[in-house]
């Protein structure tokens, strides 16, 4: 410890303008802390909403993944995510005859609402997919998994002839605390998890895949499918092929392209983004008013001191820089605190709430943090500019007379 | 300008409040380089205004004022003049409370392009000269009134100024401490070879100077040569 002696205090003794700028804001700790809290709230909103919407955007991008089917064909009038079989299984091969279609596969979607999936977790919280919970199960040909976006499986794929094998998305696997080799109770029957997969699409990753025939038997939908996934040839136009399918089966089949789906989700995300910006701006505005107030008060209280600095030869520009710097120190500290709180908070919420965590994989893209940093910096500059200008324009004699 | 004069003031006028208050009303004054003068006079006579003009804290309305060879009526960079030529010692030490003693002394050097190492060296040298080398890391709030004023004196001398302007430097101190501070000022004035201009209203303090300048109604009334004191 350095107790006022010259020797041994070398590091502590060196003073710079920067250290003065960093020290000054904390002369009135309570006031500075309140200003920091105000700005931090804005930063928390920007970072947290950025991480969440960024995560959802990433998931949307995954629906456009190369190799996966570009078109989903359903019966006209039914939901694209609806359960149960309404189409004949033979439709998948019939669609191969349409120009531009490279590959097809029929899938059957079902929701298992049994409550015996896990001892600790009910199906209603599993994966977060399916209205009011329930595990989303898809029956599909093992050789056509790439069409649904599953390129690699950790473990092994199920065999099409098996009646007790499934593969599971990583999100639901984590949520149910299951791993390869574990069993899961579906429709009152034990299934072995032969593998897990991760596509990046939060819907797919929150589901379970099993052989099509097995699911058809379990749900009493023999030879029935709910959707046909269509992969187009390399040079074909997705919209044209999609239109050709609808034209070939008028009033019977409807099509949805992955791009349409992504656009729909993006529209929703765009709304969330706009809302988050509006909330952020409001929070930032309140924070900026707090910073201006803090800095003006600080300049008032230090009027005499500013007079002394002018008397000892400090130029106006240096005084302006000092006050502006102090304001930026406050907001950058708010950036650091706000970012930490946002990251920890989002992770905590997603961990404590598996139903939400199953859907959202937060994004840590640098631009989210950069945006928050720029906002914090600008608030510091804007909030500090007027008080700094005021301080720099003070008359030395008047400042020195200030009581 | 006489080469020996560091301050030359002729017919200096300064008024405030739209001319209602005439702080300086044709002030004439010459101070030789290395001289120690006291400026005395009643409240409102113009002592502090004169000091502010010499220290370039304010500009006069009329007349001429040359300090250290610089025409203060014309020069634009008053901050540069203050930084290089002037050291202020105020009645209320005016130290920055959240900075250490050493940091307070270093403050004026920020405008002088001095390296951190040299800043520290010079500040330590002066703190040693004012016998505060054992308190360099203390905050001013932990110091006595006399110690604070010693820090202020070190701060005033740190940029090797030509002139020290002291405005009632003992005004807030008891007589014993005041005497210590005056002796220190006088001692450093001769050691550092600086001109010392001190405003005071206390006759015994004024007596310590080589000349006493009496100011009344914004004018220099008379100049007295006090009898030599035995040290």
């Amino acid at each position: 410890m350095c107790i006022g002696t010259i020797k041994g205090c070398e590091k502590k003794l060196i003073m710079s303008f920067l250290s003065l700028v960093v020290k000054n804001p904390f002369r009135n700790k309570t006031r500075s802390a309140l200003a920091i809290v105000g700005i931090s709230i804005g930063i928390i909103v920007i970072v947290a909403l950025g991480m969440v919407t960024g995560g959802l955007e990433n998931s949307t991008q995954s629906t456009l993944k190369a190799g996966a089917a570009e078109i989903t064909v359903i019966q006209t009038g039914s939901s694209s995510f609806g359960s149960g079989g309404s189409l004949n299984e033979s439709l998948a091969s019939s669609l191969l005859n349409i120009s531009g279609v490279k590959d097809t596969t029929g899938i059957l979607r079902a929701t298992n609402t049994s409550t015996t999936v896990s001892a600790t977790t009910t199906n209603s919280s599993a994966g977060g997919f399916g209205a009011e919970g329930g595990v989303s199960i898809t029956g599909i040909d093992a050789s056509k998994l790439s069409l649904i976006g599953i390129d690699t499986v950790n473990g092994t794929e199920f065999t099409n002839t098996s009646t007790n094998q499934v593969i599971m998305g990583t999100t639901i696997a984590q949520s149910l605390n299951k791993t390869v080799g574990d069993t899961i109770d579906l429709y009152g029957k034990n299934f072995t998890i032969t593998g897990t997969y991760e596509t990046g699409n939060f819907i797919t990753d929150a589901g379970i895949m099993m052989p099509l025939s097995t699911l058809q038997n379990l749900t009493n939908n023999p030879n029935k499918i709910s959707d046909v996934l269509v992969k187009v040839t390399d040079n074909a136009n997705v919209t044209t092929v999609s239109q050709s399918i609808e034209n070939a089966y008028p009033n019977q089949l409807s099509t949805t392209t992955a791009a349409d789906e992504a656009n729909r989700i993006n529209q929703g995300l765009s709304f969330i983004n706009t809302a988050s910006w509006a909330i952020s701006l409001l929070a930032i505005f309140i924070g900026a008013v707090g910073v201006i107030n803090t800095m003006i008060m600080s300049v008032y209280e230090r009027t005499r001191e500013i007079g002394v600095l002018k008397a000892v030869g400090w130029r106006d520009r240096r005084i302006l820089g000092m006050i502006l710097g102090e304001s930026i120190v406050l907001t950058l500290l708010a950036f650091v605190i706000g970012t930490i709180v946002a990251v920890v908070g989002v992770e905590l919420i997603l961990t404590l709430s598996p139903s939400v965590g199953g859907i959202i994989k937060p994004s840590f893209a640098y631009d989210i943090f950069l945006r928050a940093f720029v906002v914090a910096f600008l608030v510091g500059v804007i909030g500090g500019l007027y008080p700094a200008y005021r301080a720099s324009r003070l008359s030395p004699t008047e400042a020195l007379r200030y009581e | 300008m006489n080469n020996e004069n560091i301050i030359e003031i002729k017919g200096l006028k300064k008024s405030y409040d739209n001319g209602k208050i005439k702080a300086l009303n044709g002030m004439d004054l010459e101070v030789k380089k290395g001289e120690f003068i006291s400026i005395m006079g009643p409240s409102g006579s113009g002592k502090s205004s004169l000091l502010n003009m010499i220290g370039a804290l304010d500009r006069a309305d009329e007349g001429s004022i040359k300090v250290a060879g610089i025409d203060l009526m014309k020069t634009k960079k008053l901050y540069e003049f203050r930084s290089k030529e002037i050291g202020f010692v105020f009645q209320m030490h005016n130290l920055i409370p959240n900075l250490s003693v050493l940091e307070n002394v270093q403050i004026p050097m920020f405008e002088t392009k001095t390296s951190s190492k040299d800043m520290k060296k010079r500040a330590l040298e002066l703190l040693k000269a004012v016998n505060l080398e054992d308190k360099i890391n203390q905050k001013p709030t932990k110091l006595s009134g006399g110690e604070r004023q010693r820090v202020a004196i070190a701060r005033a001398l740190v940029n090797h100024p030509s002139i020290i302007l002291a405005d009632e430097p003992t005004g807030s101190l008891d007589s014993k401490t005041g005497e210590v501070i005056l002796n220190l000022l006088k001692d450093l004035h001769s050691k550092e070879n600086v001109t010392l201009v001190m405003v005071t209203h206390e006759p015994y303090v004024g007596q310590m100077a080589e000349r006493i300048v009496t100011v009344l109604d914004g004018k220099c009334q008379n100049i007295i040569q006090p009898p030599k004191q035995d040290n």
Side-chain angles (χ1 to χ4, degrees):
Chain A
M1 204 170 102
C2 196
I3 319 168
T5 53
I6 297 171
K7 281 186 179 178
C9 302
E10 296 294 310
K11 281 185 184 171
K12 202 176 173 185
L13 297 181
I14 294 171
M15 188 205 186
S16 66
F17 180 65
L18 195 65
S19 74
L20 185 69
V21 168
V22 173
K23 272 181 183 181
N24 276 342
F26 306 101
R27 288 161 73 162
N28 189 326
K29 291 185 178 67
T30 310
R31 194 171 55 208
S32 295
L34 286 172
I36 289 169
V37 167
I39 295 292
S40 294
I41 291 169
I43 299 297
I44 290 169
V45 174
I46 292 173
V47 174
L49 287 180
M51 286 170 69
V52 171
T53 52
L56 290 171
E57 272 167 15
N58 290 342
S59 180
T60 309
Q61 291 302 316
S62 302
T63 61
L64 298 169
K65 206 161 81 174
E70 293 93 351
I71 301 168
T72 303
V73 180
I74 55 168
Q75 189 179 39
T76 302
S78 72
S79 156
S80 59
F81 294 121
S83 297
S86 50
L87 297 170
N88 201 300
E89 196 177 341
S90 60
L91 181 67
S93 36
S94 303
L95 291 179
L96 282 169
N97 298 325
I98 292 173
S99 170
V101 174
K102 185 181 178 184
D103 198 6
T104 62
T105 189
I107 61 167
L108 179 65
R109 295 185 197 272
T111 305
N112 178 231
T113 52
S114 119
T115 55
T116 54
V117 174
S118 163
T120 54
T121 313
T122 65
N123 281 0
S124 59
S125 65
F129 174 63
E132 293 304 314
V135 180
S136 166
I137 304 169
T138 304
I140 187 169
D141 188 319
S143 64
K144 301 291 177 88
L145 283 170
S146 64
L147 288 183
I148 209 163
I150 301 170
D151 296 325
T152 51
V153 174
N154 175 30
T156 55
E157 295 164 0
F158 51 77
T159 52
N160 281 333
T161 51
S162 71
T163 55
N164 63 348
Q165 292 180 349
V166 291
I167 59 171
M168 193 179 250
T170 48
T171 306
I172 190 172
Q174 278 168 15
S175 171
L176 298 177
N177 201 20
K178 296 283 183 188
T179 186
V180 176
D182 287 353
T183 59
I184 183 168
D185 190 334
L186 298 167
Y187 298 102
K189 198 176 166 190
N190 264 340
F191 283 81
T192 304
I193 302 161
T194 60
T196 57
Y197 60 84
E198 185 164 15
T199 63
N201 181 315
F202 67 85
I203 298 171
T204 310
D205 291 349
I208 291 171
M209 305 281 157
M210 66 166 66
L212 176 60
S213 57
T214 308
L215 189 60
Q216 284 171 334
N217 290 336
L218 286 169
T219 57
N220 202 21
N221 278 303
N223 303 319
K224 291 286 182 184
I225 53 172
S226 46
D227 314 35
V228 179
L229 304 180
V230 177
K231 172 91 187 144
V232 302
T233 53
D234 292 344
N235 53 359
N237 180 292
V238 174
T239 313
T240 310
V241 176
S242 179
Q243 200 59 55
S244 300
I245 293 169
E246 288 190 1
N247 291 344
Y249 297 89
N251 302 322
Q252 291 176 57
L253 298 181
S254 298
T255 58
T256 315
T257 65
D260 289 341
E261 202 63 47
N263 282 342
R264 218 168 12 245
I265 298 169
N266 276 336
Q267 275 175 7
L269 289 174
S270 167
F271 174 76
I272 296 170
N273 258 329
T274 310
S276 79
W277 266 112
I279 297 165
S280 303
L281 285 176
L282 187 69
I284 291 301
F285 175 75
I286 295 165
V289 170
V291 170
I292 293 172
N293 178 58
T294 301
M295 296 315 298
I296 284 181
M297 289 299 290
S298 173
V299 168
Y300 269 125
E301 282 171 8
R302 290 154 61 195
T303 300
R304 204 178 168 89
E305 179 185 310
I306 290 163
V308 173
L309 294 176
K310 289 198 161 200
V312 301
W314 276 34
R315 64 186 79 190
D316 293 354
R317 213 166 50 199
R318 187 174 290 276
I319 288 167
L320 188 128
M322 180 180 74
I323 304 292
L324 205 55
E326 289 172 19
S327 172
I328 293 168
V329 164
L330 283 181
T331 56
L332 290 188
L333 196 65
F335 161 74
V336 173
I337 293 168
T339 302
I340 292 169
V341 171
V343 170
V344 172
V346 167
E347 288 288 350
L348 208 63
I349 289 168
L350 297 183
T351 308
L352 294 176
S353 174
S355 57
V356 181
I359 297 170
I360 301 164
K361 290 273 177 226
S363 166
F364 289 93
Y366 77 95
D367 60 315
I368 297 167
F369 302 101
L370 184 69
R371 192 179 356 173
F373 177 83
V374 169
V375 167
F377 185 80
L378 287 180
V379 168
V381 172
I382 294 165
L385 209 54
Y386 173 66
Y389 177 76
R390 244 183 107 98
S392 71
R393 303 303 297 169
L394 278 171
S395 146
T397 47
E398 281 173 26
L400 284 166
R401 271 201 300 267
Y402 189 84
E403 294 294 332
Chain B
M1 184 175 169
N2 185 327
N3 283 339
E4 285 196 4
N5 287 340
I6 195 159
I7 300 170
E8 277 192 357
I9 295 170
K10 276 183 190 155
L12 205 65
K13 289 186 179 178
K14 176 70 183 178
S15 57
Y16 297 100
D17 204 8
N18 291 325
K20 287 176 193 165
I21 301 166
K22 288 186 171 30
L24 297 177
N25 194 18
M27 172 71 73
D28 297 318
L29 180 67
E30 286 184 355
V31 180
K32 286 189 171 58
K33 196 176 177 185
E35 202 178 1
F36 173 14
I37 69 158
S38 291
I39 299 173
M40 298 189 72
S43 293
S45 58
K47 304 186 299 287
S48 292
S49 295
L50 176 62
L51 214 63
N52 288 343
M53 297 301 154
I54 298 170
L57 291 177
D58 210 348
R59 276 191 201 270
D61 300 330
E62 277 179 57
S64 74
I65 174 166
K66 278 188 181 176
V67 180
I70 294 163
D71 187 342
L72 296 185
M73 297 297 278
K74 288 180 184 166
T75 187
K76 285 182 178 173
K77 293 182 176 178
L78 291 179
Y79 65 87
E80 196 175 283
F81 165 80
R82 290 195 293 265
S83 172
K84 284 182 179 170
E85 307 293 344
I86 305 293
F88 284 96
V89 179
F90 305 97
Q91 180 178 355
M92 299 300 296
H93 52 85
N94 286 339
L95 300 176
I96 298 174
N98 64 319
L99 299 184
S100 70
V101 163
L102 185 84
E103 289 168 338
N104 265 288
V105 176
Q106 287 175 306
I107 281 286
M109 286 193 280
F110 280 4
E111 289 291 353
T112 58
K113 294 176 184 169
T114 314
S115 70
S116 296
K117 198 181 163 188
D118 289 343
M119 274 169 70
K120 187 181 76 180
K121 195 180 162 193
R122 173 67 177 156
L124 288 173
E125 183 185 307
L126 283 164
L127 284 169
K128 201 174 174 184
V130 297
N131 293 320
L132 283 174
E133 69 265 43
D134 58 337
K135 304 231 165 138
I136 55 174
N137 286 319
Q138 293 215 357
K139 296 279 158 65
T141 45
K142 302 278 178 194
L143 303 179
S144 68
E147 285 172 333
R148 287 177 203 178
Q149 203 59 300
R150 274 147 66 190
V151 178
I153 291 168
R155 181 181 65 187
L157 287 164
V158 80
N159 281 345
H160 303 279
S162 316
I163 304 165
I164 292 285
L165 301 178
D167 192 357
E168 305 270 11
T170 58
S172 62
L173 305 173
D174 60 81
S175 57
K176 199 178 169 188
T177 314
E179 202 178 321
V180 173
I181 291 298
L182 282 173
N183 285 327
L184 181 67
L185 264 176
K186 207 173 168 183
D187 190 35
L188 289 170
H189 139 74
S190 50
K191 271 187 190 163
E192 297 272 330
N193 192 30
V194 290
T195 307
L196 180 56
V197 179
M198 180 171 67
V199 165
T200 183
H201 64 272
E202 294 169 273
Y204 84 94
V205 174
Q207 295 281 326
M208 293 185 81
E210 293 156 14
R211 274 199 301 155
I212 300 170
V213 175
T214 310
V215 176
L216 193 67
D217 298 328
K219 282 183 181 176
C220 184
Q221 290 299 309
N222 55 12
I223 295 170
I224 305 161
Q225 199 92 34
K228 281 206 170 182
Q229 291 175 347
D230 295 330
N231 287 327

